[in-house]
Amino acid sequence: MGGASLGAAEQIPDYLIRPTPSDYYYGTLEYEEETDSWVVRGDPAVCQMAKRLFPGAEGRGAGIARFKSNKRTNGDLNWLMMRYPLEVMNADKWEADYQSAVKHVIKRNQIRRAPSKLEPSSLVFNGRLSGFQQEGVAYLNNNAPTLLADDMGLGKTVQALGWIATINRFPGLIVVPTSVRVQWASQIRKFIVPPPPTEGQIEYPPDTSKMVHIIKGLKPYELPEASFYIIHYSLLRGWKQYLPSFGFEFVVFDEIQELRHDGTDKYAAASQLGQSTENVIGLSGTPIYNYGDEIRNVMNIIDYQCLGDKESFAREWCGGGKIVQKPALLYEYLKREGLMLRRTKDDVLHELPAKRRIVQDIDSDHSVFSENMKTVLKLIGQHDTSADHFERGRLKREIGQEVRRATGVAKAPYVAEFVKMLLEAGEAVVLYGYHHDVYEVWREQLKKYDPVFVTGQESSAQKEVAKDAFIKGKTKLIVISLRAAAGIDGLQHRASVVVNGELDWSPGVHSQCEDRLHRIGQKAQVIIYYLVCSQGSDEQMMEALGLKTSQFVGIMGGAEETEEDRELSQIEVGKHLDKIMEQYRSRVSA
């Protein structure tokens, strides 16, 4: 049977040609609004074939098969009716769904041959996307539910937000690992323009407090009004009876490899969410298509049974085991069907800036911070009662050092968790810190990765051994002191990811640390993470340097620290310490 045309531009695939009228119908096809499904009721032959061909078809007992309505399933139903004609009971609804399926397939094939670009409206999206990111938004807009599996550092989050701005329907849900909840909230506020006040409201500008709500706790509660809701994976099981029926217009699963294992309450809750709306996307820089049951589990959340049931997938793709026999073939299938888009840094490097800085908000341990701050409160008391000008200056510097140390120790476990995520994704990481008790936390929590250390306490020979172990691939993690990076060369041949687990007063120091990787010989875009927490010295240090979080990216220069830099930074350090001492002075007398 030959293809038919939709207009003059594109040919409809054979399986989407309309079935011809028949003198016999094997049953009926009826839309079930409460489940958003198409239901086949008919002869055993058609129901048996439907369930055999489409493992996602539900319907216990004989004579019934239920298909969740979406643009992929509806195309398959059309194909089924070419062989087993069915009497359509909701003709207008079926016509709309049929046209949606045809439009999806035609656009999918066009994008595969020549990627199109889509720039979100500036009325909704506050940012500019690069060319390949515009292609990503166009892909998501046509193919959702789908998986965006770009390399780390190519901006999956901003592409997802561009897609959300394009569909421009709210509210939606973002499911994330614990470590990136705050970062997602800040990115939403940065890139999404708050909706204007509705008729009858008088506040302007719009109330940004209603933009994002981070869901907390396992016990459901009445959610406040918001455009975006953020929940971390470990809470899904507590909300599985509540969230799927909330009416989300979109669901984003960030780092969706968190769901690579099925059979848990978390997975079951995510599966229900994935079926609650057609606008579902997964984000992961580490697509898993060598271990069949894992990629099948991930894709099953995004588009239920798109790779068949577990048994049939293992049989046909994995030879009855867990390893995909032809991973390249599976990758091509996912790409061809519009189920996955993956670009590597090499694919789009010509469009990328040479260096990219990312400020990542993370949590910290309040109790640990408070315990360490007891020393600071005592020092403030000594400072305020001292009559010696030089002694007051010494105490002031010591106060600054102790606040900085308390901050580093309090956030150290969360820095380690963030680094673990990068290491598990296969990245080699250069981690910068400053305090030795922070290093000890990292050493313990990251010990399974066999990290090496260059902290300033090692001999020259030990420093070289550590550097060589990292460069030669014996470990994926090297921890370096912010003040010990000078002269270390060769790291650019091994890694392209920098994590600043602690901050320095001087942007020149950070620039030098960045340039250990951003130098001749580096073949990938260098991604630099600055991990900051809301309590302690981080925000105040950034403010003291004129580097508030919202302005941090792009401000720090690439020049080495000069004598003038050092003098200016000391002036700002003094101002910063005055603020800290004023903040905690009242606690001394308490």
Side-chain angles (χ1 to χ4, degrees):
M1 182 182 294
S5 295
L6 183 69
E10 187 74 26
Q11 193 173 56
I12 300 175
D14 286 355
Y15 76 94
L16 284 175
I17 295 174
R18 294 179 188 274
T20 57
S22 175
D23 59 357
Y24 180 79
Y25 292 97
Y26 287 81
T28 61
L29 181 67
E30 185 173 3
Y31 180 67
E32 189 175 78
E33 186 172 0
E34 56 268 29
T35 62
D36 188 25
S37 301
W38 284 101
V39 181
V40 176
R41 291 184 174 88
D43 293 356
V46 66
C47 292
Q48 180 185 25
M49 185 59 67
K51 293 174 184 177
R52 181 184 299 173
L53 288 174
F54 309 108
E58 299 176 346
R60 295 181 179 178
I64 186 170
R66 180 179 285 103
F67 294 80
K68 187 72 174 177
S69 178
N70 63 52
K71 53 200 173 191
R72 292 192 181 95
T73 299
N74 295 337
D76 292 339
L77 274 173
N78 188 81
W79 176 48
L80 178 69
M81 287 194 290
M82 293 175 69
R83 172 61 180 86
Y84 297 95
L86 298 170
E87 184 179 2
V88 179
M89 308 304 293
N90 309 83
D92 291 344
K93 171 62 176 171
W94 173 252
E95 178 63 20
D97 283 0
Y98 167 79
Q99 292 292 346
S100 176
V102 171
K103 180 181 177 182
H104 158 68
V105 170
I106 289 175
K107 187 65 175 177
R108 181 195 70 194
N109 293 343
Q110 290 173 343
I111 289 174
R112 188 177 72 245
R113 291 192 295 266
S116 60
K117 296 181 180 181
L118 183 58
E119 182 78 32
S121 168
S122 60
L123 297 176
V124 186
F125 188 76
N126 184 31
R128 297 287 296 177
L129 299 176
S130 63
F132 78 88
Q133 290 173 333
Q134 293 175 30
E135 292 174 1
V137 171
Y139 178 92
L140 295 174
N141 193 54
N142 184 69
N143 290 300
T146 191
L147 171 65
L148 180 60
D150 282 350
D151 245 351
M152 295 184 67
L154 297 187
K156 290 185 291 295
T157 298
V158 74
Q159 290 178 74
L161 291 173
W163 167 69
I164 291 168
T166 299
I167 61 177
N168 196 21
R169 295 198 300 272
F170 301 93
L173 181 69
I174 314 292
V175 187
V176 301
T178 307
S179 60
V180 295
R181 288 174 299 171
V182 176
Q183 178 70 6
W184 260 97
S186 64
Q187 291 295 292
I188 289 167
R189 294 188 179 101
K190 176 180 178 181
F191 286 105
I192 300 297
V193 178
T198 58
E199 187 175 352
Q201 291 180 316
I202 59 174
E203 79 256 15
Y204 197 84
D207 185 359
T208 57
S209 67
K210 296 180 181 179
M211 280 285 288
V212 183
H213 175 73
I214 298 178
I215 297 173
K216 299 178 180 178
L218 285 167
K219 186 177 180 180
Y221 54 87
E222 185 175 350
L223 294 176
E225 180 184 351
S227 297
F228 292 81
Y229 296 89
I230 299 174
I231 187 170
H232 64 79
Y233 283 100
S234 61
L235 295 184
L236 285 179
R237 59 188 175 89
W239 288 79
K240 65 181 178 181
Q241 302 301 324
Y242 184 90
L243 294 180
S245 60
F246 188 79
F248 294 117
E249 295 288 350
F250 60 85
V251 176
V252 176
F253 293 99
D254 189 25
E255 302 296 344
I256 196 173
Q257 69 271 13
E258 291 269 343
L259 299 172
R260 63 188 181 274
H261 302 301
D262 63 355
T264 65
D265 287 342
K266 175 177 72 173
Y267 188 90
S271 181
Q272 292 179 37
L273 273 174
Q275 296 180 62
S276 67
T277 175
E278 190 169 357
N279 289 320
V280 178
I281 63 171
L283 307 178
S284 174
T286 55
I288 310 161
Y289 49 88
N290 281 328
Y291 294 92
D293 59 341
E294 294 184 357
I295 187 60
R296 184 258 164 200
N297 290 341
V298 166
M299 296 307 304
N300 198 53
I301 294 293
I302 295 169
D303 192 352
Y304 183 63
Q305 300 286 32
C306 66
L307 289 177
D309 60 29
K310 196 165 188 175
E311 181 181 352
S312 64
F313 183 87
R315 182 180 64 248
E316 301 300 333
W317 284 100
C318 306
K322 292 187 175 183
I323 306 297
V324 174
Q325 302 297 300
K326 297 180 179 179
L329 185 63
L330 176 57
Y331 169 72
E332 289 299 328
Y333 172 77
L334 293 172
K335 185 170 66 171
R336 185 174 60 252
E337 293 299 311
L339 288 165
M340 183 170 78
L341 174 65
R342 175 165 173 77
R343 281 85 54 88
T344 67
K345 292 172 185 174
D346 288 342
D347 294 333
V348 296
L349 192 59
H350 60 282
E351 290 195 32
L352 292 174
K355 183 163 59 174
R356 181 180 174 200
R357 299 183 180 100
I358 301 171
V359 178
Q360 182 87 20
D361 297 298
I362 62 169
D363 290 328
S364 60
D365 190 324
H366 180 72
S367 61
V368 170
F369 180 76
S370 298
E371 181 64 27
N372 280 280
M373 285 302 293
K374 291 178 180 178
T375 301
V376 173
L377 298 179
K378 292 178 181 178
L379 290 171
I380 291 175
Q382 295 173 24
H383 172 276
D384 290 348
T385 56
S386 176
D388 188 308
H389 174 74
F390 292 103
E391 178 64 5
R392 286 169 63 89
R394 184 192 67 78
L395 287 167
K396 189 174 183 179
R397 289 191 296 274
E398 188 175 353
I399 289 167
Q401 293 167 1
E402 285 300 316
V403 173
R404 186 180 172 197
R405 187 187 67 81
T407 304
V409 173
K411 71 177 184 179
Y414 298 90
V415 171
E417 286 299 315
F418 184 86
V419 172
K420 281 182 186 178
M421 182 175 67
L422 296 174
L423 295 171
E424 292 292 341
E427 293 285 350
V429 176
V430 178
L431 172 61
Y432 287 107
Y434 186 75
H435 293 94
H436 291 286
D437 37 5
V438 171
Y439 298 149
E440 291 310 309
V441 174
W442 294 346
R443 192 188 302 273
E444 175 61 26
Q445 294 207 6
L446 298 168
K447 61 184 178 183
K448 76 179 238 184
Y449 302 99
D450 297 322
V452 292
F453 290 76
V454 178
T455 65
Q457 289 190 326
E458 299 80 8
S459 66
S460 297
Q462 291 171 326
K463 180 177 177 180
E464 283 300 311
V465 168
K467 185 186 78 170
D468 287 347
F470 180 75
I471 293 173
K472 293 177 180 178
K474 296 178 181 178
T475 176
K476 292 193 294 184
L477 176 61
I478 185 169
V479 179
I480 304 176
S481 169
L482 286 162
R483 295 281 174 163
I488 300 179
D489 195 14
L491 303 182
Q492 71 272 24
H493 301 298
R494 170 69 170 134
S496 59
V497 176
V498 174
V499 175
N500 289 283
E502 293 190 88
L503 300 181
D504 196 274
W505 291 110
S506 169
V509 168
H510 282 298
S511 180
Q512 186 181 76
C513 291
E514 292 174 0
D515 287 345
R516 293 306 96 202
L517 271 66
H518 181 232
R519 58 200 299 115
I520 294 174
Q522 178 60 258
K523 296 182 179 179
Q525 182 195 26
V526 177
I527 308 296
I528 303 123
Y529 290 98
Y530 286 83
L531 305 188
V532 300
C533 63
S534 58
Q535 70 175 358
S537 62
D538 280 353
E539 290 286 340
Q540 293 159 325
M541 286 177 72
M542 295 169 75
E543 183 177 352
L545 293 169
L547 301 173
K548 293 183 179 179
T549 302
S550 61
Q551 303 170 325
F552 195 46
V553 176
I555 290 181
M556 294 196 309
E560 292 185 6
E561 185 183 34
T562 64
E563 189 61 33
E564 183 180 8
D565 289 334
R566 282 189 285 271
E567 291 175 0
L568 289 173
S569 69
Q570 287 305 309
I571 294 172
E572 296 301 330
V573 167
K575 294 178 181 178
H576 158 69
L577 292 177
D578 286 337
K579 289 183 181 180
I580 289 180
M581 291 167 63
E582 184 62 32
Q583 182 178 350
Y584 291 100
R585 188 170 279 119
S586 60
R587 301 186 187 182
V588 176
S589 58

